[in-house]
Amino acid sequence: MVPIKYQGDITIPIAIFSGWIQNLLADYLPEIMTFIIVITLLGTLLAKFAKPAFIEKSPFFKNLFDVPYIWAAARFIGAVFAVITLFQIGPEQIWSENTGGLLLNDLLPILFSVFLFAGLFLPLLLNFGLLEFFGALLTKIMRPVFKLPGRSSIDCVASWLGDGTIGVLLTSKQYEEGYYTKREAAIIGTTFSVVSITFSLVVISQVNLGHMFVPFYLTITAAGFLCAIISPRIWPLSRKPDTYYNGQESELDESIPEGHTSASWGLQQAVAKASTNQSLKAFFQDGAKNILDMWMGVAPIVMALGTLALIIAEYTPVFAYLGMPFIPLLELMQVPEAKAASETLVVGFADMFLPSVIGAGIESEMTRFIVASVSVTQLIYMSEVGGLLLGSKIPVTLWDLIIIFIQRTLITLPVIVLAAHILF
């Protein structure tokens, strides 16, 4: 996770490894992901109906394959979409390059490689004291400002420097281990899974404003910070219960004993945590389980929900109609080409990159700047983060994500428009 300069960009090693494996297996990744999604469905069907001993007697496989029927249905839909897209059979609306093709050929290969290395190295983040150290160090900031434990700062940094998916996976894992309550996990997953610096540059370049990256990133940082303060204090996030996964008791104690500073206590806790992990075999076993959990738990859901959302966005006027209520608001804020901009504000729920693709044809530079900025600060999009959240153990529903998406749009839009008026 340490930021380094690589080929002129600031990135992290996991992103470099991910890019390397993508280039190495580029021609085979759609087939590999289809295979993983189909195997996941077969495992789920076995767990539901045949109940073989190797699944029933293994807590890991039982948890991986014996999912609620709603998720079993989603895995079935994901497998059907993946096979149709891979072989380009059936309705073109499913497998076109803007729907299923976008997910299977572009997004899922990225998730494959990110999950491979993030899963393998996740124990380094979780088991060797880093979270304990920063938890003690940053509690006095994170708790009053964001209503979160200090260790959640690592989730945010992982997303910011690497990818939002890493932040979601890290949060889900800690939630399952009893370090976050349901409310805290939901807040972190929907508020701190920010788009990486690298992808932010891709977004602003797509609307032909790459030369404005610095003011663009400062704008989305300010808007995102404001949203991170407000969102945890309003429904639905504020109403999430402060209880733990499967009713377990919290393992997290943030108090600093007398005679210690935050730094000294954090260091002592970190060393104690690291000393409990001395088996190389256990490290790789944990990593392998993480990889399978990510590949099989998340990929089918992303394929199913992401494809459905993109089909709606591409072939129906639903998102254009949903954007109409924003037209008076944009006109009130004196945004040029308000109607064109309104269509992009809702389509971001399907995929974060769609607003920039659609908004690239808008003539006004100011409006293109607003479209790009809002798409990044909305955070919730079904083709990746939304699908990941629903596929993870983090306690959020589709309805929660819709409400949070609208809230984030309404909170960040005035900040972004104000910045745009100043810049243009």
Side-chain angles (χ1 to χ4, degrees):
M1 254 182 51
V2 177
I4 60 174
K5 193 167 186 177
Y6 179 74
Q7 295 183 347
D9 296 321
I10 300 297
T11 185
I12 59 175
I14 280 183
I16 297 170
F17 296 149
S18 171
W20 175 76
I21 203 74
Q22 281 178 63
N23 292 333
L24 184 67
L25 299 176
D27 295 335
Y28 309 103
L29 285 177
E31 288 85 354
I32 291 171
M33 290 310 298
T34 301
F35 176 77
I36 289 171
I37 291 171
V38 170
I39 287 295
T40 303
L41 174 62
L42 294 176
T44 303
L45 293 175
L46 283 174
K48 284 295 182 188
F49 302 110
K51 301 185 184 297
F54 82 92
I55 291 179
E56 292 296 306
K57 293 181 180 179
S58 167
F60 173 72
F61 284 125
K62 179 80 171 172
N63 185 57
L64 184 62
F65 292 123
D66 193 6
V67 295
Y69 281 102
I70 184 68
W71 294 122
R75 288 180 175 185
F76 174 78
I77 294 170
V80 170
F81 283 169
V83 171
I84 287 174
T85 302
L86 181 66
F87 295 104
Q88 295 190 356
I89 54 177
E92 186 179 350
Q93 289 89 338
I94 294 175
W95 55 261
S96 77
E97 63 178 14
N98 294 323
T99 54
L102 177 67
L103 286 156
L104 188 63
N105 300 319
D106 296 336
L107 176 61
L108 288 180
I110 296 173
L111 295 187
F112 171 87
S113 54
V114 169
F115 289 176
L116 176 63
F117 292 105
L120 182 62
F121 296 132
L122 199 57
L124 292 177
L125 282 178
L126 295 174
N127 300 343
F128 291 87
L130 183 71
L131 297 172
E132 282 70 20
F133 179 71
F134 279 96
L137 206 60
L138 296 174
T139 291
K140 292 180 180 178
I141 298 172
M142 299 298 291
R143 184 61 72 181
V145 177
F146 303 114
K147 293 181 172 271
L148 294 172
R151 66 194 289 129
S152 63
S153 58
I154 297 298
D155 303 54
C156 182
V157 172
S159 299
W160 185 56
L161 293 174
D163 189 86
T165 57
I166 298 173
V168 173
L169 298 169
L170 184 58
T171 301
S172 181
K173 195 71 178 174
Q174 290 187 86
Y175 168 62
E176 291 176 58
E177 294 179 0
Y179 289 106
Y180 296 143
T181 66
K182 290 183 169 75
R183 182 185 60 80
E184 290 166 350
I187 290 171
I188 300 165
T190 58
T191 306
F192 284 81
S193 301
V194 294
V195 179
S196 69
I197 296 175
T198 307
F199 201 76
S200 296
L201 179 58
V202 173
V203 170
I204 195 66
S205 299
Q206 171 65 25
V207 294
N208 300 312
L209 293 173
H211 60 283
M212 296 193 68
F213 177 73
V214 172
F216 165 74
Y217 206 78
L218 290 174
T219 299
I220 61 175
T221 300
F225 184 81
L226 178 65
C227 210
I229 294 173
I230 295 173
S231 293
R233 291 169 167 82
I234 58 178
W235 177 82
L237 291 177
S238 65
R239 296 294 182 88
K240 294 289 180 183
D242 267 319
T243 54
Y244 291 85
Y245 181 66
N246 284 346
Q248 60 190 311
E249 296 296 321
S250 173
E251 299 178 19
L252 191 60
D253 181 8
E254 295 184 303
S255 60
I256 308 296
E258 288 187 22
H260 279 284
T261 64
S262 296
S264 67
W265 177 242
L267 184 60
Q268 182 174 315
Q269 293 287 94
V271 171
K273 177 69 175 179
S275 67
T276 64
N277 292 274
Q278 298 183 2
S279 169
L280 192 62
K281 180 182 177 182
F283 170 82
F284 283 109
Q285 284 179 338
D286 282 349
K289 287 180 179 179
N290 288 335
I291 294 168
L292 286 177
D293 200 19
M294 293 173 187
W295 280 349
M296 295 185 161
V298 174
I301 306 301
V302 171
M303 188 69 204
L305 297 181
T307 302
L308 286 172
L310 290 173
I311 289 171
I312 293 170
E314 186 73 14
Y315 295 104
T316 74
V318 169
F319 288 113
Y321 291 144
L322 292 175
M324 285 181 179
F326 287 99
I327 295 176
L329 180 61
L330 292 167
E331 289 176 342
L332 181 65
M333 292 189 287
Q334 299 181 338
V335 175
E337 301 181 68
K339 184 178 184 300
S342 71
E343 296 179 11
T344 70
L345 293 182
V346 182
V347 76
F349 187 71
D351 182 76
M352 192 211 67
F353 202 50
L354 285 177
S356 297
V357 173
I358 296 169
I362 295 173
E363 288 187 18
S364 168
E365 285 193 351
M366 174 180 166
T367 305
R368 295 203 306 272
F369 180 90
I370 292 169
V371 166
S373 299
V374 172
S375 72
V376 172
T377 55
Q378 285 171 326
L379 292 192
I380 310 295
Y381 49 104
M382 294 308 298
S383 65
E384 186 176 301
V385 170
L388 288 176
L389 286 167
L390 293 176
S392 73
K393 301 296 191 299
I394 296 173
V396 290
T397 64
L398 178 60
W399 179 244
D400 287 335
L401 296 184
I402 292 171
I403 297 299
I404 293 166
F405 174 84
I406 295 170
Q407 287 177 346
R408 293 191 65 86
T409 304
L410 294 174
I411 292 169
T412 59
L413 184 59
V415 179
I416 291 166
V417 171
L418 176 62
H421 277 295
I422 293 170
L423 291 168
F424 293 92

